[in-house]
Amino acid sequence: MGEREEKKNSRRNFLKLAMTASILFMVGGISSLLRAVTNPAPPPSYGLTKTQQRTFPKVKITNISSLEVNKPVIFNYPLDNEPNILVKLGTKAQGGVGPEGDIVAFSQICQHLGCYYNYIPPNSSPSCNSSYKADKPVGYCCCHGGIYDFTEGGKVIGGPPPRPVPQVKLEVDSNGDIYAVGMGPPTIFGHNTGSNDVSYDLLGGNIVS
Ligand code: FES
């Protein structure tokens, strides 16, 4: 075989090798893609175990003896920067605790665009809208007039919010201490990760038990 023939052969072998390598690379890429589509990656774990992600903390808020009807108490839960309103309504309410079943708490973050709303007792008006007079205990959002019914689990009774405000699950011990022990659905505004699990959404990155 002449020198020219040898050069031709080695070029042919190189081309064959290059083609085989690209086919293998493409097949590998396609199968990874198929794997990703049929078996999507789980939500990020943020380095926490499943138990840590799904266990709400138990946090003392106040004592029954220091509550007055229609005087709200603001507290953060379940994260340090998530304000909630706790209030003794003076009338029995859905999910209410205490001897009268009238102590409730809700996320203070409006489900429309995330403004903080305020508690408005019956027969009073929010500072931003004197033409509205509450006929029951409500949360009123001055950004766009969202209204939440505090006696019925935070359901929307006015304005643009698309869903209720999440209710904080409360417990009262024999000393009258009131604790936050969890949050009901829907997820606090701004925390939805696409998971169906509210506790996952809420506890995602910051709670370490
Ligand atoms: S942000 Fe509350 S009604 Fe729009």
Side-chain angles (χ1 to χ4, degrees):
M1 192 184 306
E3 194 183 329
R4 216 163 137 184
E5 196 60 29
E6 266 181 23
K7 269 189 187 161
K8 251 193 202 167
N9 274 344
S10 60
R11 203 177 310 136
R12 216 175 286 135
N13 287 341
F14 174 76
L15 282 174
K16 265 190 208 158
L17 263 174
M19 271 177 68
T20 312
S22 359
I23 288 168
L24 285 174
F25 184 73
M26 272 172 60
V27 169
I30 289 169
S31 53
S32 314
L33 191 66
L34 279 175
R35 262 202 311 276
V37 169
T38 52
N39 189 15
S45 69
Y46 301 103
L48 301 180
T49 66
K50 275 194 164 183
T51 312
Q52 284 172 324
Q53 288 167 28
R54 296 186 179 182
T55 303
F56 281 102
K58 181 172 180 174
V59 175
K60 183 181 165 187
I61 306 166
T62 185
N63 187 279
I64 282 190
S65 60
S66 43
L67 287 180
E68 284 176 50
V69 172
N70 291 326
K71 291 269 165 30
V73 172
I74 306 295
F75 65 100
N76 286 326
Y77 186 86
L79 307 179
D80 286 346
N81 58 350
E82 305 298 351
N84 301 272
I85 299 178
L86 178 140
V87 62
K88 181 174 171 60
L89 302 175
T91 178
K92 194 171 168 55
Q94 189 179 314
V97 297
E100 285 86 38
D102 64 343
I103 302 168
V104 291
F106 296 93
S107 165
Q108 196 189 5
I109 305 176
C110 182
Q111 288 280 338
H112 179 218
L113 293 176
C115 291
Y116 292 174
Y117 67 85
N118 288 311
Y119 174 69
I120 306 297
N123 300 316
S124 49
S125 303
S127 56
C128 59
N129 182 3
S130 56
S131 64
Y132 171 78
K133 194 181 236 185
D135 58 359
K136 49 168 44 177
V138 300
Y140 190 97
C141 182
C142 282
C143 283
H144 313 100
I147 309 171
Y148 302 100
D149 186 338
F150 270 31
T151 63
E152 287 199 53
K155 105 174 169 195
V156 180
I157 54 172
R163 57 190 76 86
V165 272
Q167 186 160 11
V168 183
K169 294 177 182 164
L170 301 172
E171 273 178 18
V172 184
D173 71 11
S174 53
N175 298 321
D177 287 334
I178 305 172
Y179 296 86
V181 295
M183 297 285 298
T187 299
I188 290 175
F189 179 87
H191 283 276
N192 199 310
T193 62
S195 162
N196 292 326
D197 182 340
V198 172
S199 60
Y200 177 85
D201 284 343
L202 294 178
L203 300 180
N206 298 319
I207 291 288
V208 177
S209 59

